[in-house]
C-alpha cells in the first residue's frame, strides 16, 4: 500500500490544541482503505502573509496564504515530506476573511495544502454533522492533492459538498498508478531497443536485417493502458452548465454584452445556481430588481456554502429525494424527480411564467451533454 509522508504545521495557537492525536488518527483512518498517511505534527510560530483569492459578495474579499510566502517559509520546513499542510487558526487572521482550505499541486513538488479553522468547529451539510472542520477539510484538501497526483477528474467538491466524502476513495488506486508507470517505462525501453536495433550496422558478411525481423518486437509490446470513463454526464457537469447560463460574472466582466461593475447576481450572492431565498442555512435574503420585478435571492456567506447547496439540490433531484421536484414529478405521473426528463426539469426549475425560456435551456444542455433533452432522464446523470 502506498505511503505518503505528511508534515502538518500547527501554527501559533493551533500548536496548543489538546486534540491533535484524535484529529490525526481520524485523518489517517479516513484514507486507511487506500493508502497509509505518515503524519508528523510540527509546531510553528510563523506570521503568515495573505493575498486576495477572489472577491466575495458585496465589497469584501476572500483571502488565502500568499503562495510566494508559503513556498519561502513553509516548504523549507517540509523537506522529506510528500505533502505540507499548514494549519492557520482564526487568531492568525483577525478581521481577514479566508477560505476554508486550499490545495496547490505541482507535479514532482511537495504538495501545498492549507486549512483555516479553530480547534472545535464542525462542518455541516444539509444540517448533518460531518465532523470536526479540521478533519473534514484536511481530508478535503488531501483529496484535491490525490486527484492531481493521479491526473483524474477532481470529484472532491462533488462528494464532500454532498455529504458523501468517502466516495472519493473509490477513485484513488495508487497501485494502479504505479503499475501504469512501470508499464510505460517498459514500453519506452522496448521502443528504444527497437530504435537501437534499427540503427545497428550488420557485420561484414551478414545479411542486413529485414523489416520482418523486427516484427516480433512490435507484436510482443504490451498495449498502452487506457482509462475508461462513463459516457454519461455527471451532476458536476450539470452544476457547471447551470452556473454558466445563470450568468456567473465577476466584477468588471461582461455579461450578455454589458459590463457588470459589481458582478452578476449569482456572483454577488455566492450562489452559482441563483437559488431563490428559502431560508437556506448560511444564507440571508437579498433583493434585486430583475426585468422590472423584485426578486429575492439566497445570499450565502461563502462561495463554498453556496456551491454545496447547489450541488446538494441537484444530487437530490437526480436521486429522486427532492421533495419539491418529487411533487412536480408525481403530478406528471412519475415515480420521483429522477424520472424527470431534462426538458421537464428545466420547465420546473426555470418556469416560463417567470419570464424564462426552459425549452431553450434544455436544448442547450442537451447539446452540451450530447443527449436528447426530451428523453434523457435526470437519474442518468452520474453522482
Amino acid at each position: 500500500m502506498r505511503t505518503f509522508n505528511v508534515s502538518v504545521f500547527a501554527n501559533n495557537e493551533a500548536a496548543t490544541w489538546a486534540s491533535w492525536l484524535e484529529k490525526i488518527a481520524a485523518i489517517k483512518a479516513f484514507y486507511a482503505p487506500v493508502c497509509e498517511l505518515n503524519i508528523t505534527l510540527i509546531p510553528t510560530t510563523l506570521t503568515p502573509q495573505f493575498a486576495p483569492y477572489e472577491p466575495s459578495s458585496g465589497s469584501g474579499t476572500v483571502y488565502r496564504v500568499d503562495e510566494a510566502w508559503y513556498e519561502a517559509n513553509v516548504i523549507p520546513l517540509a523537506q522529506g515530506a510528500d505533502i505540507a499542510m499548514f494549519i492557520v487558526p482564526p487568531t492568525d487572521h483577525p478581521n481577514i476573511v479566508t477560505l476554508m482550505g486550499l490545495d496547490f499541486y505541482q507535479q514532482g513538488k511537495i504538495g501545498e495544502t492549507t486549512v483555516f479553522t479553530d480547534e472545535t468547529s464542525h462542518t455541516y451539510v444539509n444540517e448533518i454533522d460531518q465532523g470536526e472542520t479540521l478533519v473534514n477539510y484536511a481530508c478535503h484538501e488531501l483529496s484535491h492533492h490525490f486527484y492531481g497526483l493521479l491526473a483524474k477528474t477532481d470529484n472532491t467538491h462533488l462528494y464532500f459538498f454532498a455529504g458523501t466524502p468517502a466516495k472519493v476513495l473509490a477513485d484513488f488506486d495508487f497501485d494502479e498508478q504505479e503499475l501504469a508507470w512501470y508499464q510505460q517505462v517498459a514500453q519506452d525501453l522496448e521502443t528504444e531497443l527497437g530504435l537501437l536495433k534499427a540503427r545497428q550496422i550488420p557485420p561484414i558478411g551478414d545479411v542486413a536485417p529485414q523489416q520482418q525481423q523486427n516484427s516480433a518486437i512490435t507484436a510482443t509490446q504490451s498495449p498502452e493502458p487506457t482509462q475508461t470513463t462513463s459516457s454519461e454526464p455527471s451532476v458536476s457537469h450539470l452544476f457547471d452548465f447551470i452556473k454558466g447560463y445563470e450568468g456567473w460574472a465577476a466584477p468588471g466582466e461582461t455579461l450578455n454584452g454589458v459590463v457588470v461593475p459589481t458582478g452578476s447576481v449569482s456572483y454577488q450572492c455566492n450562489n452559482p445556481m441563483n437559488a431563490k431565498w428559502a431560508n437556506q442555512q448560511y444564507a440571508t435574503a437579498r433583493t434585486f430588481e430583475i426585468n422590472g420585478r423584485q426578486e429575492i435571492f439566497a445570499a450565502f456567506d461563502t462561495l463554498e456554502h453556496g456551491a454545496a447547496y447547489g450541488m446538494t439540490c441537484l444530487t437530490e433531484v437526480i436521486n429522486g429525494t427532492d421533495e419539491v421536484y418529487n411533487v412536480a414529478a408525481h403530478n406528471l405521473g412519475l415515480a420521483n424527480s429522477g424520472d424527470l426528463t431534462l426538458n421537464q426539469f428545466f420547465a420546473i426549475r426555470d418556469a416560463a411564467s417567470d419570464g424564462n425560456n426552459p425549452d431553450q435551456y434544455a436544448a442547450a444542455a442537451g447539446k452540451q451533454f450530447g443527449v436528447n433533452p426530451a428523453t434523457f432522464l435526470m437519474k442518468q446523470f452520474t453522482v
Side-chain angles (χ1 to χ4, degrees), residues 215-298:
S215 62
I217 297 175
T218 303
T220 58
Q221 287 181 347
S222 300
E224 186 169 347
T226 59
Q227 178 182 346
T228 59
T229 58
S230 172
S231 61
E232 296 173 348
S234 69
V235 63
S236 60
H237 294 146
L238 181 60
F239 176 92
D240 290 339
F241 173 82
I242 294 175
K243 176 183 176 181
Y245 86 68
E246 285 291 357
W248 181 270
E253 292 184 346
T254 300
L255 181 62
N256 298 324
V258 178
V259 175
V260 281
T262 59
S264 63
V265 170
S266 58
Y267 185 93
Q268 292 182 58
C269 292
N270 288 322
N271 183 353
M273 299 290 98
N274 253 357
K276 297 294 181 64
W277 166 244
N279 200 32
Q280 292 94 336
Q281 189 180 20
Y282 306 117
T284 57
R286 189 170 176 185
T287 303
F288 294 83
E289 183 172 325
I290 307 294
N291 296 326
R293 296 190 301 182
Q294 298 294 311
E295 302 279 1
I296 304 176
F297 293 88

Side-chain angles (χ1 to χ4, degrees), residues 94-352:
N95 304 318
I96 294 177
V97 178
T98 66
L99 300 166
M100 296 298 296
L102 190 69
D103 167 71
F104 183 68
Y105 174 80
Q106 286 182 296
Q107 182 72 36
K109 293 188 177 182
I110 297 173
E112 300 176 15
T113 62
T114 310
V115 176
F116 301 87
T117 185
D118 57 22
E119 181 180 12
T120 59
S121 291
H122 280 228
T123 294
Y124 296 83
V125 174
N126 289 335
E127 301 183 3
I128 298 175
D129 190 353
Q130 302 295 304
E132 290 185 356
T133 297
L134 184 136
V135 173
N136 185 273
Y137 272 88
C139 293
H140 180 126
E141 301 311 324
L142 287 171
S143 175
H144 281 308
H145 178 85
F146 291 147
Y147 275 116
L149 178 66
L150 293 168
K152 288 188 173 182
T153 300
D154 193 337
N155 290 319
T156 300
H157 289 176
L158 171 64
Y159 295 134
F160 274 81
F161 289 165
T164 56
K167 286 188 176 182
V168 301
L169 301 179
D171 292 339
F172 301 149
D173 189 339
F174 299 107
D175 292 334
E176 178 184 1
Q177 180 201 40
E178 291 185 356
L179 175 61
W181 285 341
Y182 289 134
Q183 288 177 326
Q184 185 61 54
V185 169
Q187 188 175 31
D188 290 343
L189 288 173
E190 285 195 3
T191 300
E192 185 64 22
L193 177 61
L195 291 174
L196 287 172
K197 287 187 175 182
R199 290 198 297 266
Q200 283 180 348
I201 300 175
I204 296 175
D206 285 357
V207 178
Q210 301 297 312
Q211 185 67 32
Q212 184 63 32
Q213 288 179 292
N214 288 329
S215 62
I217 297 175
T218 303
T220 58
Q221 287 181 347
S222 300
E224 186 169 347
T226 59
Q227 178 182 346
T228 59
T229 58
S230 172
S231 61
E232 296 173 348
S234 69
V235 63
S236 60
H237 294 146
L238 181 60
F239 176 92
D240 290 339
F241 173 82
I242 294 175
K243 176 183 176 181
Y245 86 68
E246 285 291 357
W248 181 270
E253 292 184 346
T254 300
L255 181 62
N256 298 324
V258 178
V259 175
V260 281
T262 59
S264 63
V265 170
S266 58
Y267 185 93
Q268 292 182 58
C269 292
N270 288 322
N271 183 353
M273 299 290 98
N274 253 357
K276 297 294 181 64
W277 166 244
N279 200 32
Q280 292 94 336
Q281 189 180 20
Y282 306 117
T284 57
R286 189 170 176 185
T287 303
F288 294 83
E289 183 172 325
I290 307 294
N291 296 326
R293 296 190 301 182
Q294 298 294 311
E295 302 279 1
I296 304 176
F297 293 88
F300 290 90
D301 56 352
T302 67
L303 176 57
E304 287 189 308
H305 284 149
Y309 174 78
M311 285 290 292
T312 298
C313 290
L314 292 177
T315 301
E316 289 180 351
V317 171
I318 290 166
N319 289 337
T321 57
D322 186 284
E323 295 182 3
V324 174
Y325 281 83
N326 275 351
V327 170
H330 294 159
N331 290 337
L332 294 170
L334 304 174
N336 57 54
S337 58
D339 291 326
L340 293 168
T341 65
L342 206 54
N343 277 342
Q344 292 167 333
F345 167 74
F346 280 104
I348 298 166
R349 185 186 187 281
D350 302 282

